[in-house]
Amino acid sequence: IVLVLVVVLVRAVAGVVVFRYALVKTALEQGVPKATGFPFRLASLTTQIFPGRVNIQQMEMNNPPDFSDPMFFSIPEIYVDCYWMTYVTGKRIEIPEMRLNLKSIHIVRRADGVLNVDLLGGKKEEKPGQEPPPGEQAPQQPQPPAEEKPPIPIHIGRMEISLGEIVYRNYQDRPANDPKEMKYDLGV
């Protein structure tokens, strides 16, 4: 009986380890579109609790369907190595190594003048003078800030950032399918 319990426990732990990547990846692929309003996908995501690593491969976010250009951004790799115990103790955030490879970002202005970046965060398009829908209240005045704690310092040992291209397409006041385009190849 003890041997059977050990085998079941080992299989359960192995299942959690194997499926945690799929669970986190699925949670991100479903949660990010809800939070931003933009379609989102990851090719792969790996995490290690000890020592504290996250490696994301082929992260892509598309524009909402009412934009002519499908791509918003493409990031082939994000890698973060973190000593999370320094964060737990409240002393500082220690990141010995960090890599960001941004292949491209596409900023698009639709024919009606709306920019894709303005819609991030799931913001709804508002027209001037438009009343909030029933059941939604108008924004309230901000409350005075509570007493703030000092920020936790961040120490980054090594950071690699690769920047590919930024593309700006403007469809406003242009013939259909003939946007004004500006392309900046950063090559950094």
Side-chain angles (χ1 to χ4, degrees):
I1 290 183
V2 172
L3 182 59
V4 171
L5 289 175
V6 169
V7 169
V8 168
L9 183 62
V10 167
R11 285 187 177 191
V13 168
V16 167
V17 169
V18 169
F19 291 114
R20 80 168 178 225
Y21 303 125
L23 292 173
V24 172
K25 180 178 179 275
T26 301
L28 284 171
E29 289 181 332
Q30 291 176 0
V32 169
K34 286 180 184 174
T36 64
F38 286 59
F40 176 82
R41 77 169 201 82
L42 300 171
S44 73
L45 168 77
T46 55
T47 60
Q48 293 178 331
I49 296 172
F50 296 104
R53 279 192 191 114
V54 176
N55 191 2
I56 298 172
Q57 298 291 316
Q58 298 301 325
M59 182 167 78
E60 294 180 353
M61 183 175 279
N62 289 331
N63 283 313
D66 53 348
F67 280 83
S68 301
D69 297 48
M71 178 65 62
F72 178 49
F73 69 70
S74 173
I75 299 176
E77 179 190 38
I78 296 176
Y79 174 85
V80 179
D81 190 6
C82 178
Y83 297 147
W84 61 271
M85 283 304 291
T86 58
Y87 173 72
V88 171
T89 60
K91 293 180 181 173
R92 70 179 184 178
I93 298 172
E94 181 78 30
I95 300 174
E97 184 178 359
M98 181 176 188
R99 293 190 304 264
L100 170 65
N101 179 356
L102 174 67
K103 181 179 176 182
S104 64
I105 183 164
H106 298 249
I107 300 170
V108 180
R109 182 179 301 276
R110 291 189 316 214
D112 64 0
V114 174
L115 282 168
N116 59 351
V117 293
D118 288 341
L119 298 178
L120 271 175
K123 288 191 226 174
K124 295 181 178 140
E125 298 177 47
E126 294 178 9
K127 302 199 173 33
Q130 184 179 18
E131 294 293 322
E136 286 188 28
Q137 295 180 350
Q140 297 178 352
Q141 296 296 325
Q143 299 295 323
E147 188 176 322
E148 294 183 22
K149 295 180 182 177
I152 296 176
I154 298 174
H155 176 261
I156 299 174
R158 179 172 176 242
M159 182 187 305
E160 280 182 36
I161 299 177
S162 301
L163 303 174
E165 68 177 3
I166 297 174
V167 178
Y168 173 74
R169 288 193 182 98
N170 186 349
Y171 289 88
Q172 188 176 24
D173 301 326
R174 304 285 301 173
N177 297 324
D178 186 26
K180 180 178 180 182
E181 180 176 292
M182 292 182 269
K183 210 179 242 191
Y184 303 97
D185 186 6
L186 302 175
V188 177

